[in-house]
Amino acid sequence: MGKIILTGDRPTGRLHLGHFVGSLRRRVELQNSGLFDKIFIMIADAQALTDNADNPEKIRQNIIEVALDYLACGIDPEKSTIFIQSQVAELCELAFYYMNLVTVSRLQRNPTVKTEIQMRNFETSIPVGFFTYPISQASDITAFRATTVPAGEDQQPMIEQAREIVRRFNGIYGEGTLVEPEILLPDNAACMRLPGTDGKAKMSKSLGNCIYLSDSSEEVRKRVMSMYTDPDHIRVEDPGKVEGNTVFTYLDAFCRPEHFAQYWPDYNNLDELKAHYMRGGLGDVKVKKFLYAILEELLTPIRERRKEWEKDIPAVFDILKKGSETARMVAAETLSDVRRTMRIDYFDDAELIAEQARKFQG
Ligand code: ATP
Ligand code: MG
């Protein structure tokens, strides 16, 4: 069996550094590794509508933003299929059958859904679609027979739920029909859940604490210079803390030893820099300038590639259209297997028709 990737993002805004370290960077590496037979990258507009039902225009406007961010980061439409979720109707049908395999209490226990409900202040008015999005996500993953889902830590409960659905489905209807996916988490703790520039637990569009991949150099500088650090590190001489200090968490996520040779030869590596900060005698501004240089090195080529694609928006929509057509064909094959295993393919089931005919004749 081949190795297949499915991942995606909600088109609720442009993509940010959290997306980059949590999933996007990995996707590009895996795409170029040649180790995967197929790669599907989904713009999850239908999922985004589950908590934006009253604002479809936001989703509509952001589809192209996400597509541009993908292309800018090096997702290559020749190697990866980029598609729009709502254009693959088969996904809804799969979700409809999976819904019977999951209990309400199981969904209520999903920690990511719990946090997100709190974050959105839904309280008791949770849209059913939002509440059940882990099921819809299981259908996205299984429709493409994905073996691997590169994603951030917040997605772990979703993948676990998808695996349970697969086991339940295969157990009831037929072993081997659906494939159990595995999450591929970032290998570095800082990248699992990149904090926001305000120091909050997660950089997230919904929290407004992001550095976007398409931010201008000046915007990035401002964001970095106003970043949350150690609130007790007041004077340069004071010893500083690196744990919970966002600037250092970002360095953990983005800094490589060669960056020191290039931008700050006073140190050989991050451990040396951290030791100095903890001892005291190193000001935040210097560390922030270093981080800014590293981020600029990363973001400059992304920004430039984005500018190129922005010149030909119809071509980008064409990529999405072709990708959606390909995705639809693949999902339709899986759906047809699912219907056959569930034995709801009545009109293709000559045996059923003959058997029923005999029953009523006899
Ligand atoms: P929203 O606020 O609309 O939910 P989001 O910023 O949480 O948006 P998603 O589209 O939900 O982004 O997430 C897409 C992918 O990016 C997922 O794989 C998720 O794990 C990853 N991701 C998002 N934010 C971060 C982060 N701060 N750190 C690591 N990975 C992240
Ligand atoms: Mg999210």
Side-chain angles (χ1 to χ4, degrees), residues 65-80:
E65 298 284 359
V66 172
L68 285 168
D69 284 330
Y70 286 163
L71 295 164
C73 285
I75 298 288
D76 176 354
E78 298 286 319
K79 297 180 185 155
S80 299

Side-chain angles (χ1 to χ4, degrees), residues 199-226:
K200 289 216 179 96
K202 186 178 170 241
M203 180 178 283
S204 166
K205 288 168 272 187
S206 316
L207 294 173
N209 56 9
C210 305
I211 295 178
Y212 292 98
L213 299 175
S214 50
D215 275 348
S216 69
S217 179
E218 186 47 29
E219 281 161 333
V220 175
R221 201 186 60 80
K222 275 197 203 134
R223 289 276 193 188
V224 172
M225 295 324 267
S226 60

Side-chain angles (χ1 to χ4, degrees), residues 9 19 85 122 158 160 164 224 232 256 279 287 298 326 338:
D9 305 274
H19 297 119
Q85 186 185 22
F122 280 147
M158 304 299 158
E160 198 37 58
E164 280 172 33
V224 172
D232 300 323
R256 294 191 307 273
R279 248 188 347 261
V287 191
L298 170 77
T326 307
V338 160

Side-chain angles (χ1 to χ4, degrees), residues 10 116 120 154-155 202:
R10 297 152 39 96
E116 289 181 338
R120 287 164 177 75
D154 61 319
Q155 293 302 309
K202 186 178 170 241

Side-chain angles (χ1 to χ4, degrees), residues 7-12 15-19 21-23 27 47 51-52 116 119-120 150-155 186 190-195 201-207 210:
T7 52
D9 305 274
R10 297 152 39 96
T12 49
L15 298 183
H16 53 62
L17 289 177
H19 297 119
V21 294
S23 171
R27 293 180 210 171
Q47 189 189 113
D51 58 330
N52 289 281
E116 289 181 338
M119 231 168 85
R120 287 164 177 75
E153 199 184 33
D154 61 319
Q155 293 302 309
C191 301
M192 299 251 196
R193 184 182 298 244
L194 192 76
K202 186 178 170 241
M203 180 178 283
S204 166
K205 288 168 272 187
S206 316
L207 294 173
C210 305

